[in-house]
Amino acid sequence: MTVYASVLDMIGDTPLVDVSVLSPNPGVRILAKVESQNPAGSVKDRIALKMVTEAEADGTLTPGKTIIEPSSGNTGIALAMIARIKGYPIKIVMPENVSIERRQMLEVFGAEIILTPGNEGSNGAVRRALELSDQHPEWVFLYQYANEANPRAHYESTGPEIWRDCPEITHFVAGLGTSGTLMGVGTYLKEQNPEIKVLAVEPPLGELVEGLRNLEEGYIPPVYEKWGGPELLDGKRIVRPLESIEWTRRLVTECGVFAGISSGAALAGAIKVAERLDQGTIVFIVADGGWKYLSTGAYTDDLDEVAEKASKIIYF
């Protein structure tokens, strides 16, 4: 058994789990990259650590400086954990309509929470964080949407892990949020095999699926453009809130993988890809675990009621 010098050394090297029992096509294998195994519970542990260490290395982040970051959940929690270990004060700007568990997790790690109107969503939190960083130049704004440490973390770790464990991969599917996972992993995988298809999952315009965004809603993450998103992606799959919840439930009841709603959305996208293939191996991202969403009733309440709540609660 490995002994780690710090919990931060546990970030990454997450397992692939075969969930092909859910595949609509016996010739298509589906594997889940279970990022909920990271110490703060999500794929965002990777980018949070990368952003902090790079900011320390270039002198942007020095002892005593305050970190500020907009987040509707996972990035904020990961940063708060790292900031607590390293001794940095941290302020997380987030919409007021996130699940209570995420606010509680931030409080556990000692973060100050700055709330923004729920009807403005994550875009409102980004705008407020930009305003505050302009007003307080002494604070360090890591800005995951534009920070190239975000896709670079996945280019240097997540992508190589997938290639190492599954060189037969034919398709990679992930939710489109900051776009860092898609850009970093997709770039690495295509360098290894240009035939690998990289596909994004996004909600219909005007509908909310936790953790995902539709690029036509008015905000395109800078890292998406910097890393050549339009050229890198081979396509998109549209997933609605009800589909996301249905596949999240199937993931836990049929495979024992207790995941957040964005993972169900990614799985739903993978299923749509599998339906069009004769054979292949699809890897999708399980962005986080389900523990932070229990209060929403997403796993137990009536499906239609949960889908209706999705228009009011930001799950991710």
Side-chain angles (χ1 to χ4, degrees):
M1 178 68 71
T2 302
V3 176
Y4 295 97
S6 164
V7 71
L8 302 184
D9 296 331
M10 296 171 59
I11 294 174
D13 205 21
T14 56
L16 284 176
V17 176
D18 195 321
V19 296
S20 300
V21 65
L22 300 174
S23 179
N25 185 337
V28 179
R29 192 179 185 203
I30 301 179
L31 304 179
K33 179 73 166 162
V34 186
E35 290 295 298
S36 56
Q37 295 298 299
N38 284 304
S42 83
V43 67
K44 297 298 187 179
D45 286 25
R46 295 179 187 263
I47 73 165
L49 182 61
K50 188 70 170 174
M51 290 192 299
V52 167
T53 55
E54 289 197 2
E56 289 174 331
D58 67 19
T60 302
L61 183 59
T62 55
K65 281 199 171 183
T66 294
I67 297 171
I68 183 170
E69 185 71 15
S71 172
S72 52
N74 286 330
T75 301
I77 291 167
L79 281 172
M81 175 194 73
I82 294 165
R84 186 62 179 252
I85 290 171
K86 289 176 170 283
Y88 298 114
I90 186 167
K91 302 175 187 289
I92 300 298
V93 185
M94 67 192 320
E96 63 187 353
N97 56 336
V98 300
S99 67
I100 187 62
E101 292 95 335
R102 274 167 296 171
R103 291 171 63 169
Q104 290 172 332
M105 284 294 294
L106 289 169
E107 291 167 353
V108 164
F109 289 122
E112 177 185 341
I113 301 171
I114 299 171
L115 296 176
T116 56
N119 61 1
E120 296 180 6
S122 58
N123 287 353
V126 171
R127 286 192 295 269
R128 183 58 179 151
L130 285 165
E131 292 170 359
L132 289 170
S133 67
D134 287 340
Q135 295 167 12
H136 297 274
E138 72 277 12
W139 294 351
V140 176
F141 184 27
L142 295 172
Y143 198 16
Q144 60 179 316
Y145 292 94
N147 193 324
E148 291 198 60
N150 176 354
R152 194 154 48 238
H154 296 295
Y155 179 84
E156 295 177 359
S157 67
T158 321
E161 290 171 22
I162 292 171
W163 181 251
R164 176 197 68 198
D165 296 338
C166 185
E168 67 272 23
I169 181 175
T170 59
H171 295 74
F172 176 69
V173 178
L176 182 57
T178 67
S179 79
T181 306
L182 280 163
M183 297 300 98
V185 174
T187 298
Y188 180 85
L189 291 178
K190 281 183 175 288
E191 287 178 357
Q192 313 313 307
N193 178 2
E195 297 302 312
I196 294 173
K197 304 301 182 185
V198 177
L199 298 113
V201 175
E202 67 177 13
L205 186 63
E207 295 189 24
L208 290 177
V209 173
E210 64 90 10
L212 309 185
R213 66 172 60 248
N214 186 303
L215 293 183
E216 296 180 13
E217 71 178 5
Y219 180 78
I220 299 176
V223 295
Y224 178 79
E225 296 185 316
K226 289 179 182 178
W227 281 61
E231 296 76 30
L232 179 70
L233 292 184
D234 293 292
K236 298 177 183 177
R237 296 293 181 269
I238 301 298
V239 174
R240 307 194 71 174
L242 186 60
E243 293 177 283
S244 303
I245 297 159
E246 288 174 333
W247 284 102
T248 302
R249 290 187 177 186
R250 290 193 64 179
L251 190 57
V252 66
T253 58
E254 297 179 44
C255 301
V257 179
F258 183 39
I261 313 301
S262 70
S263 305
L267 173 57
I271 296 297
K272 291 174 186 286
V273 172
E275 289 172 343
R276 300 185 184 185
L277 298 178
D278 294 324
Q279 59 184 7
T281 299
I282 302 170
V283 174
F284 76 98
I285 295 292
V286 172
D288 67 348
W291 305 104
K292 297 187 295 296
Y293 312 96
L294 286 170
S295 66
T296 68
Y299 306 89
T300 53
D301 292 355
D302 178 79
L303 273 172
D304 291 328
E305 291 179 4
V306 176
E308 174 62 23
K309 285 181 185 178
S311 66
K312 303 179 179 68
I313 300 173
I314 295 176
Y315 285 133
F316 184 70

